[in-house]
Each structure stands twice: as C-alpha cells, then as structure tokens.
Amino acid sequence: MSCLFCRIIAGEIPASKVYEDEHLVAFNDINPQAPMHVLIVPRVHVATLNDLVKEHSPVIGEMVRRGAAIAAERGYAERGYRAVFNCNQDGGQSVFHVHLHVLAGRSLHWPPG
Ligand code: 5GP
Ligand code: ZN
C-alpha cells in the first residue's frame, strides 16, 4: 500500500486522530496552517475530486458534516472556519487521497494565495 493516507487509516503510520467511524477518519495535519487544522478522509481510496462517482456522495457529505461538527465542538462555529479540498497541481494537492482540510482559529485570507 503506497498511499500515505491509506497507511494512516490502516494504522501503519501514526497520526493524531480526532475522530473515526466506519466510513471516515479525521486527524490533525502534521504541518498545521492554523490553530486548528484537521484533515478528514474517506476510508475508501479516491485519488482526487476528479475521481468521485455517485457512490461517493454519502461519504463526502459525511466528511463535510463532520468537519462542521469538529469546528463547532471546539467553539469555532460562530466566528467561522474554512473547509477546503485541493485538487491536482493548480489546486495545491500533494497527497493523492481525497481529503477535506478544516482550518480555524485565525482570520483566513481570501482570495487564497
Ligand atoms: P494537500 O496539499 O494534498 O491538499 O494536503 C496534504 C496535507 O497533508 C498537507 O497539509 C500536509 O501537511 C499533510 N500531511 C502530509 N503528510 C502528512 C503526515 O504524514 N501526517 C499528517 N498528519 N499530515 C500529513
Ligand atoms: Zn489512499
């Protein structure tokens, strides 16, 4: 298994997990870009957003809802946060297993760099 996030999901590589269930896993980013920087991944390997098919819709929805729940649990619901998927080179994707970044705890710039 060569995919980094598949290896984290399988427990072969340690990660600071904050939530997991039968469909998804959430863990702290190793190089956080905000006071809270959580990555949420589906257990199923999907390389990029371009590879999504209809069957993935439930887990992608669960990932987004879980990101909102984690942000709310930590008190960021009202002041806000950012949830983002990067796709391929121009999107800044570096790990090719779909993941939702959830960042909170500072004012984030828009447009992104
Ligand atoms: P991307 O650039 O693909 O959108 O995001 C990949 C993210 O994975 C980056 O924010 C990076 O810091 C994070 N990352 C890379 N390797 C590891 C790792 O081994 N463990 C954890 N927890 N995060 C990682
Ligand atoms: Zn994978």
Side-chain angles (χ1 to χ4, degrees):
M1 201 195 309
S2 60
C3 171
L4 175 64
F5 288 171
C6 281
R7 296 185 72 187
I8 286 176
I9 291 162
E12 292 177 16
I13 293 176
S16 166
K17 291 181 183 171
V18 299
Y19 176 86
E20 61 184 316
D21 64 25
E22 62 180 314
H23 300 298
L24 59 87
V25 178
F27 50 92
N28 290 315
D29 197 292
I30 204 168
N31 182 24
Q33 300 301 309
M36 174 180 125
H37 187 170
V38 170
L39 301 174
I40 305 179
V41 301
R43 286 189 184 275
V44 63
H45 178 84
V46 181
T48 79
L49 290 187
N50 295 332
D51 302 299
L52 291 174
V53 295
K54 189 175 181 184
E55 286 66 32
H56 298 132
S57 294
V59 72
I60 296 296
E62 287 300 311
M63 288 163 61
V64 175
R65 290 201 327 122
R66 182 54 52 186
I70 292 170
E73 280 166 12
R74 298 183 189 194
Y76 294 119
E78 191 170 342
R79 63 182 276 202
Y81 53 91
R82 184 164 297 162
V84 64
F85 291 95
N86 296 327
C87 181
N88 277 342
Q89 188 170 347
D90 278 5
Q93 186 175 7
S94 61
V95 177
F96 290 87
H97 180 128
V98 163
H99 49 281
L100 178 64
H101 294 258
V102 185
L103 302 113
R106 68 176 176 88
S107 181
L108 296 158
H109 302 151
W110 194 265

